[in-house]
Amino acid sequence: MDSEYFFELLCGGLVKGSIYALIALGYTMVYGIIQLINFAHGEIYMIGAFVAFIVSGVLTLTGYGGPTVLLLAAVIAIIYAAAYGYTLEKIAYRPLRAAPRLSPLISAIGASIFLTNYVQLAQTPDFLPFPELITDFDFMEPFSRYVSSVDLVILVVTTLTMIALTVLIKYTRVGKAMRATQQDAVMARLVGINVDRVISATFIIGSALAAIAGVLIASRTGQINSAIGFMAGIKAFTAAVLGGIGNIPGAVLGGLVLGIAETLGAGYISSAYEDVFAFGLLVLILVLRPAGLLGKAVKQKV
Amino acid sequence: MTHFKRSLVIGLWFMFLALPLMVVRVNTLNHEIEWRWANMLWLGFCAFALAWFWRASTERRAARQALGVAAGRPLLAKLSWAQRLSDDPALSRRLLLIVAAAALIFPWVVSTSQNFYHVNIMVSALIFVVLGLGLNITVGLAGLLDLGYIAFFAVGAYTYALLARNFDLGFWTCLPLGGIMAMFFGIVLGFPILRLRGDYLAIVTLGFGSITKIVLENSEELFGGAAGIAGIPRPDLFGLVLDGREKSLYSYYIVLALVALTIFVTNRLKNSRIGWAWMALREDEIACVAMGVDMARTKLSAYALGAFWAGLVGVIFAAHNNFINPDSFTFMDSAMILSMVVLGGMGSILGVIIAALALKLLPEYLRAVAEYRMLVFGAVMVLMMIFRPQGLISNLRRKYERAPADESDGHGK
């Protein structure tokens, strides 16, 4: 009985953690390249969820239905989130490349406030019911206690996305350019890499991942709101730092650890303190291992 | 013509961005779809016009500069008014006197016995001035990015609320206690995070801020839970009974005095041994430690002193509002205070004061456009960083041998 409860929590944590990991990837990729905490990343995730909501709403009301709607909504959401991420970088971060380090951070906080309020004004401040587009699979019946069909979709999609991302970074031209820029932006420019374009690509990829996370989480929780981006963004950032910011496998690991720790803490101790466990874990790990779980300690040179 | 084309592309791009969010609104209750095409056209047009205007003006400026260079005029950067002001002590002293006098008579001018709305707004604005100046010590002078500063404010406010409720202590006893309590918290939290680098420090402080709020929200019996604590006594004046307006006036003068004290102390600190150590630490940690500055003590003192002011003003906040709940201590408030410091110009006292007043007062008086004020606020933060990343008033340094022209690059990382 007890181990069954534990297993249930573990599965829930895994699902939650994989969502965190998806968002955290965007943070960590951007940080790795331009050392910027993109505070507005959570808002991109929220915009992804909203676009998916609107597309699926329009399609269902005009008489379509089924998994095609979800697919189409997800694709359009990804396109739009990527477009917003790209524009965000162009307007709010690019002019600040050479500014003192705090300036882009403030600009990011401003952009985050702007985007939240933009969606709130253009749409609504209320919670909206997200349509249930993923129907229950029959073969999931015996496992439904641990993993619902939506959870299964989430796990499969996040795994596939992460594999795709790994392939992209390891084997494609743009991935190579991204790794080069991450190691040394000046040197990358010298060998002929268009650093600006690489940064844009990073924002586009990160935003697309956030949109996937947004669509997935919205179909799991069944409701969205213009304020959901904030907490998700902070949690995902925590996950990224936990794993060692700038480190891509670290972000995945950090997301999973965070999700599981949160769910276990909420399940065994108190659900009201869920966020406290997340942040407590973060503080603990950073005090013991200041560079994060997988991060390498940066040696300071004089 | 290429300008025209590029601006057109930008306009079209924004129309594309606006398409789902600003045009379509799905009403899930009556199953209707609302199409608002006018929004998209407007946005596209505005983006186009702005882009065009922007390109034209940059081109004109570049042309004028080229002309100036050709004519042999040097490209001397203009001195800002703030710089000129601080270079002239007599003028700045006179200005200070005028501002002080205006601040003293302000409540009598704007308030009547029925209407003291403006005074109350000014009190909350001044509270944020003190918070901005306090955070200015931690972030502006010592360069420790703190995203959970509001937690210390909460510590001060709750210290007073709890002491007044449980032990019947008065405002004036609690005022220093609140500050000391916050300082204590600052030191306790400061210890484990001394080793962390900038961004990690930011996220850990953010975590502490959030934890504080969650703990306050969830412990009903101790902190009153999400409902907060009501009936906190106002500041007492030798047992006199004050009416509504007089209470506001009294709070106003208390917080004004605190502002003056904060300005005085920060100003002295800035030019003291420890202040220099902070600034050196901000500029280059390794070099600073190599020069024999005790890093742990310097960082902790910056943390503790920053927290101290937040605690003090937290007590005033609780007393002025009569009521506190965790909603006053959100991350958004921390971000707001941080933006005051950065918008004002890191380390600059005058700049922080102006930014704090602007950020608190503008939204209050822009209630007519209340719906859009946060939108505008966010946009202004971004624009401000793009066009003036060093803040309203860049931190004036002692210029021994520097030419005024390279003032703009004088900021550390």
Side-chain angles (χ1 to χ4, degrees), chain A residues 31 80 84 101 122-123 237, chain B residues 16-17 21 24-25 36 199:
Chain A
Y31 190 91
Y80 265 98
Y84 270 93
R101 278 199 72 174
Q123 294 289 317
F237 180 54
Chain B
F16 165 72
L17 282 185
L21 287 164
V24 191
R25 179 143 59 184
R36 302 165 294 176
D199 306 293

Side-chain angles (χ1 to χ4, degrees), chain B residues 115-194:
Chain B
N115 182 0
F116 34 93
Y117 170 71
H118 298 287
V119 179
N120 281 338
I121 287 179
M122 203 46 155
V123 171
S124 37
L126 288 178
I127 284 175
F128 271 81
V129 169
V130 178
L131 284 174
L133 288 171
L135 187 63
N136 192 26
I137 296 177
T138 321
V139 180
L141 293 181
L144 303 167
L145 182 53
D146 188 346
L147 291 179
Y149 188 64
I150 204 76
F152 301 127
F153 185 52
V155 168
Y158 272 90
T159 303
Y160 176 49
L162 291 176
L163 286 179
R165 190 180 68 179
N166 298 337
F167 301 102
D168 219 20
L169 289 181
F171 173 79
W172 291 107
T173 336
C174 291
L175 189 61
L177 286 179
I180 290 166
M181 196 70 186
M183 199 158 139
F184 174 70
F185 265 74
I187 293 173
V188 169
L189 298 187
F191 259 117
I193 59 186
L194 278 177

